Structure formats: C-alpha cells, structure tokens
Amino acid sequence: WVKLRGGSSKNVFLRDIDEIELPIAHAEGRIAVRDRATLAQWVAGGQIGLCYSDAAGRVPASGELLSYPENPNGSIANIAGLSDPTGRVLGLMPHPERFLFATQHPRW
C-alpha cells in the first residue's frame, strides 16, 4: 500500500481527491524521462495526476525522491499517475483494482 497525493485537478478521475491510499502490485516499471524538458512539460500542462507521498502526506520539493517503500519503484519526481493533456486519460502505477473489500486495507 502507498499513500498518494493529488498533483492536478485537471484529470476527470481525480477531481476532489487530495489524498488516497492504494495497493501496489508491481516489481518493475516506473515513470522515466530522457530529458528534464519532458518532465517540465508535464508539470506545466498539469499532467502529473498523483505523486507518491510520505506517511504524513507530504511530497518532497522537486528533484528530491522519496525512497522505498514510499516510492516503491523510484519513479522520477515521485510520479504515481500521469494524465494526457486533455485530462480524460489516466495511467497509474498503483493498482486500485486490487482493493475490492474493506478487509483488504492494512488498517482494517
């Protein structure tokens, strides 16, 4: 399970979500960019939908990465969810489909 902080309200799936906890189910894969200009473009376009956060719900200043287990895959800029420019498509690293019952939550 990871704690995520909403990075942009532009995505239709994330409206009114400031903070959310979701299960993870991956051992590989992460957001990576070849150049910082791409990351800057995502930030400027409001495309970073969700970021991994620490236990207190804080996302570090730009450039500082959270370590495992907060950012389990080492994703650049702590990105957990990325949107397309229209805000109608959302790609996630966590797996919300794995949380079906309240009894699955670690604090149940």
Side-chain angles (χ1 to χ4, degrees):
W1 286 80
V2 290
K3 186 175 252 187
L4 306 171
R5 169 85 43 200
S8 172
S9 60
K10 185 176 182 178
N11 190 281
V12 297
F13 300 104
L14 301 174
R15 290 214 176 112
D16 299 324
I17 295 179
D18 294 325
E19 191 174 274
I20 189 171
E21 292 179 323
L22 294 175
I24 56 171
H26 59 274
E28 55 191 43
R30 64 181 172 175
I31 298 287
V33 295
R34 289 187 181 173
D35 58 46
R36 291 285 183 173
T38 301
L39 181 59
Q41 183 180 0
W42 291 343
V43 171
Q47 291 178 249
I48 299 176
L50 291 168
C51 289
Y52 295 109
S53 67
D54 64 15
R58 293 181 299 258
V59 177
S62 84
E64 184 183 344
L65 288 182
L66 291 167
S67 58
Y68 183 87
E70 288 93 3
N71 182 347
N73 57 15
S75 181
I76 190 165
N78 303 299
I79 298 172
L82 190 60
S83 177
D84 78 322
T86 70
R88 294 180 291 186
V89 177
L90 178 64
L92 291 174
M93 287 305 296
H95 290 266
E97 75 278 5
R98 300 239 175 157
F99 182 29
L100 301 175
F101 307 103
T103 55
Q104 293 174 307
H105 196 278
R107 288 194 314 267
W108 175 77

